[in-house]
Amino acid sequence: MAQTSDTTSYKDIKLTVLERIRSGQWQPDSLLPNEEALAVEFSCTRTTVNRALRELADEGYLERRRKAGTRVLSAPQRQARFTIPMVRDEVEALGGTYRYALVSAGSEPAPEWLNARLALNPNQSVMHVRCMHFNGNTPFQYEDRWIVTASVPQVEQADFSQIGPNEWLIQTVPFTNVELSFMASRADATLAGFLDMPVGDPVFTGERITWLQGQPVTFAKMFFAAGYRMTTEF
Amino acid sequence: MAQTSDTTSYKDIKLTVLERIRSGQWQPDSLLPNEEALAVEFSCTRTTVNRALRELADEGYLERRRKAGTRVLSAPQRQARFTIPMVRDEVEALGGTYRYALVSAGSEPAPEWLNARLALNPNQSVMHVRCMHFNGNTPFQYEDRWIVTASVPQVEQADFSQIGPNEWLIQTVPFTNVELSFMASRADATLAGFLDMPVGDPVFTGERITWLQGQPVTFAKMFFAAGYRMTTEF
DNA sequence: AACTTTATAAAGTCTACACAAAATGGAAAC
DNA sequence: GTTTCCATTTTGTGTAGACTTTATAAAGTT
């Protein structure tokens, strides 16, 4: 009798635990009964309780420490998960037609600020790619990207006239580490031109740094057209 | 012999699988061997393989379907997890001293746009709270919030002069569902005053809607001072 | 050819048990 | 009184095995 329909599953336990926190039965910072006790209460094995509590901890509701036990987090560290889609998917999810256009691409010595930003050795060469992403004929995102040649030598042969640098990189360099930031910036003349908006208008902006095993791979700035919102539910 | 030091752990398996994807040994969209086969290969039980693959799927590298098997996602749906901290924690993490100041609080009939936004019935009363969050004496965030009285009747008695509405709500209403958006907006005169910045400057802005079991609880706009970045690593 | 049913393969989950690792609190040593 | 060390508790992770659920492919039916 491994698992009958009236078994308490780890999902049931998760719900019950959440309900007890919610109702105040288990106050913030208070200690939960240990796994063994809960296993008895729910008449299941400790394994099942373990999975439920482990997932709740992972979701930011509980804190668990060996010997110390499991406690309710006072300020639930709720984590918003933003799926970082590729621009193509994002546009298509809006029901639009994705279109890509290369603005410029070429090798150049890495500028000072990029050296600093990526901790590059001086005099390294980088591939500088600028491109546009459209939703139909409406500008969606302007992308300004630098790719470190030393980390991705193949970039010298890449043809960015048909495929965007992000899609190319995902195919070419299976990245390991990403640092992603979002901010609000101001449209200068160039940006205003590309995104078809007045100079000085606020622009939702993302910056992305990608590292491959400690080596900097690429730095990208992404400027979104007016009205863009990044949304998530949790 | 449950677990000796030379056992293959689920973490080892995760690393190995990632390595094989990375190296191209397992191409995108290709099918992995099934759990049983992998268990034999790694000389461990299916349980252990299952955990490894389950977590990798959860992290967005794999897709698993019963009977269909496990396959490598072509475009890894890497998910950025932004921890949504409370302002106090965020300021303190910066090494600053958090200070809170109430601007205004009072009941009023819900404005039209809020009715629409939260799907409220007409003529409902809401508590409108405006407040500032400081890092020392530097403005950090201006918050404009509406709390639905019908959903949280206690709000009529709440004293927002000492505690921020967000902290109050977290203590009072254990929320279930949040919709969070970020965008860039423009500082109008009011905002420019509160955040000590020039009128017209870009402002990183967040909007947060909270629902409790289908009932709208609160709508909040959060305006961040100049230079704010929301950052995550993954 | 198109639809329906059915066997089956694969992941999903549970039981029962065992050993491992970490952290804590108190005993022992200083 | 303070520090060091160790036993104990609690979570972490593994083994072995079984039953469950679901999607698919193949067989059968219209």
Side-chain angles (χ1 to χ4, degrees):
Chain A
M1 168 197 33
Q3 182 181 356
T4 57
S5 53
D6 53 86
T7 311
T8 310
S9 87
Y10 79 98
K11 285 181 181 171
D12 298 332
I13 299 180
K14 284 179 75 174
L15 288 175
T16 306
V17 169
L18 277 179
E19 182 49 36
R20 289 187 186 175
I21 295 174
R22 189 164 291 149
S23 71
Q25 183 177 344
W26 286 342
Q27 289 288 321
D29 274 328
S30 69
L31 220 57
L32 267 62
N34 69 31
E35 295 186 345
E36 205 168 345
L38 289 173
V40 172
E41 188 198 328
F42 293 115
S43 42
C44 65
T45 54
R46 192 169 77 82
T47 315
T48 303
V49 173
N50 180 277
R51 176 160 182 193
L53 298 188
R54 176 158 40 84
E55 292 195 359
L56 285 173
D58 194 51
E59 289 162 26
Y61 293 100
L62 303 175
E63 196 207 349
R64 322 191 72 205
R65 288 207 328 277
R66 280 163 158 147
K67 163 82 181 179
T70 303
R71 54 179 67 246
V72 180
L73 276 180
S74 49
Q77 298 283 325
R78 304 226 32 201
Q79 292 171 330
R81 279 188 171 195
F82 291 91
T83 313
I84 306 302
M86 285 190 298
V87 202
R88 153 171 274 127
D89 298 334
E90 204 168 359
V91 168
E92 284 168 357
L94 291 170
T97 311
Y98 173 73
R99 195 162 66 77
Y100 163 80
L102 179 64
V103 174
S104 76
S107 284
E108 55 185 54
E112 284 295 326
W113 62 266
L114 191 62
N115 282 336
R117 200 69 180 273
L118 299 182
L120 293 178
N121 297 322
N123 303 319
Q124 279 200 251
S125 165
V126 290
M127 173 67 69
H128 183 190
V129 182
R130 300 186 301 152
C131 62
M132 281 295 301
H133 306 274
F134 293 90
N135 179 352
N137 290 316
T138 312
F140 182 80
Q141 184 194 105
Y142 171 70
E143 179 181 346
D144 204 351
R145 184 183 287 265
W146 288 262
I147 303 169
V148 180
T149 315
S151 303
V152 200
Q154 315 97 296
V155 77
E156 296 281 7
Q157 275 75 51
D159 173 16
F160 293 120
S161 65
Q162 299 303 316
I163 185 177
N166 190 37
E167 294 191 31
W168 184 84
L169 277 167
I170 284 180
Q171 286 175 18
T172 311
V173 193
F175 52 82
T176 45
N177 212 265
V178 176
E179 183 191 315
L180 194 57
S181 303
F182 293 98
M183 70 217 76
S185 55
R186 171 202 298 282
D188 61 15
T190 313
L191 213 45
F194 280 123
L195 294 177
D196 192 19
M197 69 196 319
V199 172
D201 266 21
V203 180
F204 188 78
T205 305
E207 286 187 5
R208 180 187 191 127
I209 302 182
T210 305
W211 311 76
L212 177 63
Q213 282 145 16
Q215 293 301 307
V217 170
T218 183
F219 174 81
K221 295 191 85 142
M222 296 155 289
F223 301 94
F224 290 85
Y228 181 80
R229 290 169 154 253
M230 184 172 73
T231 299
T232 190
E233 289 182 40
F234 60 104
Chain B
M1 171 198 29
Q3 184 180 353
T4 57
S5 53
D6 52 85
T7 311
T8 310
S9 88
Y10 78 99
K11 285 182 180 169
D12 299 331
I13 298 179
K14 284 178 74 173
L15 287 175
T16 306
V17 169
L18 278 180
E19 182 49 37
R20 288 187 187 175
I21 295 174
R22 189 164 293 148
S23 71
Q25 183 176 347
W26 286 343
Q27 289 289 320
D29 275 327
S30 70
L31 222 56
L32 267 61
N34 70 31
E35 295 185 345
E36 206 168 346
L38 289 172
V40 172
E41 187 196 328
F42 293 115
S43 42
C44 64
T45 54
R46 192 169 77 83
T47 316
T48 303
V49 173
N50 180 278
R51 177 160 181 192
L53 298 187
R54 176 157 41 84
E55 293 195 359
L56 285 173
D58 194 51
E59 289 162 27
Y61 293 100
L62 303 174
E63 197 206 348
R64 320 190 74 202
R65 291 209 325 280
R66 282 164 157 146
K67 164 82 179 178
T70 303
R71 56 179 66 243
V72 180
L73 277 179
S74 49
Q77 298 283 325
R78 302 224 35 199
Q79 292 170 330
R81 281 188 169 193
F82 291 90
T83 314
I84 306 301
M86 286 190 298
V87 203
R88 153 170 273 127
D89 299 333
E90 205 169 358
V91 168
E92 285 168 358
L94 290 170
T97 312
Y98 174 73
R99 196 163 65 77
Y100 164 80
L102 179 64
V103 174
S104 76
S107 282
E108 55 185 56
E112 284 294 327
W113 62 265
L114 191 61
N115 282 336
R117 200 67 180 273
L118 298 182
L120 294 178
N121 297 322
N123 303 320
Q124 280 199 249
S125 166
V126 290
M127 172 68 70
H128 184 188
V129 182
R130 300 186 301 152
C131 61
M132 280 295 302
H133 306 274
F134 294 90
N135 179 352
N137 291 315
T138 312
F140 183 80
Q141 184 194 105
Y142 171 70
E143 179 180 347
D144 204 351
R145 185 183 286 267
W146 289 262
I147 303 169
V148 180
T149 315
S151 302
V152 200
Q154 315 97 296
V155 77
E156 297 282 6
Q157 276 75 50
D159 174 16
F160 292 121
S161 65
Q162 299 303 317
I163 186 178
N166 190 38
E167 293 190 31
W168 183 85
L169 276 166
I170 283 179
Q171 286 175 17
T172 311
V173 193
F175 52 83
T176 44
N177 212 265
V178 176
E179 184 191 315
L180 193 56
S181 302
F182 293 98
M183 70 217 75
S185 56
R186 172 201 299 282
D188 61 15
T190 313
L191 214 45
F194 281 122
L195 294 178
D196 191 20
M197 69 197 316
V199 171
D201 266 22
V203 179
F204 189 79
T205 305
E207 286 187 5
R208 180 189 192 126
I209 302 182
T210 305
W211 312 77
L212 177 62
Q213 280 144 18
Q215 294 300 308
V217 170
T218 183
F219 174 81
K221 294 191 88 142
M222 295 154 290
F223 301 94
F224 290 85
Y228 182 81
R229 291 169 154 253
M230 184 171 73
T231 300
T232 191
E233 288 181 40
F234 59 103

